[in-house]
Amino acid sequence: MLRNWIALLAWLPAAGTLAAQSVSPPIAEYQEKARSSFQLQNGSLFPLTVVLEVRGFQVTEAGEVVDAPLDTSRVHVKLSAMSFRIPPRGSYRVFYEATGDTLPAWFNILSAMSGARTDNGLNVRLLLPHVVYLNQKQPLRKTDVVVRAFQVDPVGQKARLQLENLGPNLGRVLQVSLKNDHSGSDPVGGFPLFPRSRRWIEVPWRGEHPPTAASVRFARFSIDTVLTPTTLPPVTTVGAALRRP
């Protein structure tokens, strides 16, 4: 099992016929429990053998996904099948039920697909995740979210904002945007803010002057704050935020 399946996803679009395999939806969110399904699509000319595995995961402050064993003592997942075959140009729907003894909880159902071949005939094994969030009944509160740090890299034309969730509830950042009196950034976002954790978000910034205000939008509230940036020298990488995990 790959330790970091998100790296494989980033590679897929350049892989020719491999990009014909897909999972829909890639991410699903439910309140307290789930009784749902996802569909795997085989767009290739080859039959595929699929083996499923339920895994946990963690997300670092930089937004990197780290594979972890599922905590079966508190998260319980039942699948309609653990292995099957998908014919060429065919699809298969997997049904599942999931509950958590404590909430929020999150996991992914990894589909290991073998039998596909690249254009040059190389046999490969794909991993496609279906990510599930079991949200708590109480929504994330505005008072639980704070902006901890803000940095600007004028050479790299980007800014970084650090958010912290002080509370026990999971929430999702829908959009982050920056501005000053002269210009504004394009909005970025679409990532979870996990309980009692910090998260850096990177925003492209091409303005001549640094941003002086940030707006962070959640489903039920927005946080608008004045910024005092710290200018940084060029950096190699900080880790871009997850696109819809």
Side-chain angles (χ1 to χ4, degrees):
M1 185 62 61
L2 290 179
R3 300 302 298 173
N4 193 338
W5 43 263
I6 203 70
L8 179 62
L9 285 181
W11 172 76
L12 284 178
T17 57
L18 299 185
Q21 328 311 328
S22 63
V23 57
S24 179
I27 299 171
E29 294 192 55
Y30 307 95
Q31 189 174 86
E32 298 186 308
K33 60 183 179 180
R35 189 173 185 179
S36 189
S37 65
F38 63 93
Q39 181 169 285
L40 293 167
Q41 186 73 36
N42 176 15
S44 74
L45 300 176
F46 311 102
L48 295 179
T49 298
V50 182
V51 177
L52 302 181
E53 183 180 4
V54 183
R55 300 286 296 177
F57 66 92
Q58 299 174 347
V59 179
T60 69
E61 288 189 21
E64 298 170 345
V65 179
V66 179
D67 177 59
L70 179 70
D71 185 358
T72 55
S73 65
R74 72 180 192 93
V75 182
H76 314 285
V77 183
K78 295 181 180 180
L79 302 177
S80 60
M82 294 301 297
S83 62
F84 46 87
R85 286 176 64 84
I86 307 179
R89 307 293 188 187
S91 62
Y92 190 95
R93 183 164 293 275
V94 178
F95 296 87
Y96 64 90
E97 296 181 7
T99 58
D101 294 339
T102 59
L103 297 174
W106 50 88
F107 61 91
N108 69 79
I109 304 173
L110 281 177
S111 300
M113 310 173 77
S114 58
R117 292 194 289 271
T118 61
D119 294 335
N120 60 7
L122 178 66
N123 292 319
V124 296
R125 181 171 178 261
L126 295 126
L127 292 176
L128 295 180
H130 172 70
V131 183
V132 179
Y133 294 94
L134 301 179
N135 294 323
Q136 70 289 332
K137 188 175 182 179
Q138 301 81 9
L140 179 67
R141 300 181 303 176
K142 183 175 182 178
T143 54
D144 286 335
V145 182
V146 296
V147 177
R148 283 299 183 198
F150 179 64
Q151 302 170 340
V152 175
D153 178 4
V155 176
Q157 294 188 317
K158 55 190 173 184
R160 297 186 293 276
L161 192 73
Q162 188 188 56
L163 304 176
E164 182 172 7
N165 181 356
L166 302 172
N169 297 328
L170 173 69
R172 178 171 288 275
V173 176
L174 301 180
Q175 181 178 296
V176 178
S177 58
L178 306 176
K179 67 178 183 178
N180 58 25
D181 293 336
H182 308 282
S183 58
S185 70
D186 292 329
V188 300
F191 60 89
L193 190 58
F194 291 93
R196 298 188 174 91
S197 67
R198 295 185 179 187
R199 176 67 179 269
W200 284 97
I201 174 69
E202 190 169 276
V203 183
W205 182 260
R206 298 176 179 83
E208 182 179 353
H209 304 285
T212 56
S215 177
V216 184
R217 185 164 66 86
F218 295 81
R220 294 173 177 264
F221 61 88
S222 294
I223 296 176
D224 298 295
T225 184
V226 176
L227 301 171
T228 304
T230 300
T231 303
L232 295 180
V235 294
T236 53
T237 182
V238 176
L242 263 186
R243 292 177 299 173
R244 307 177 89 57

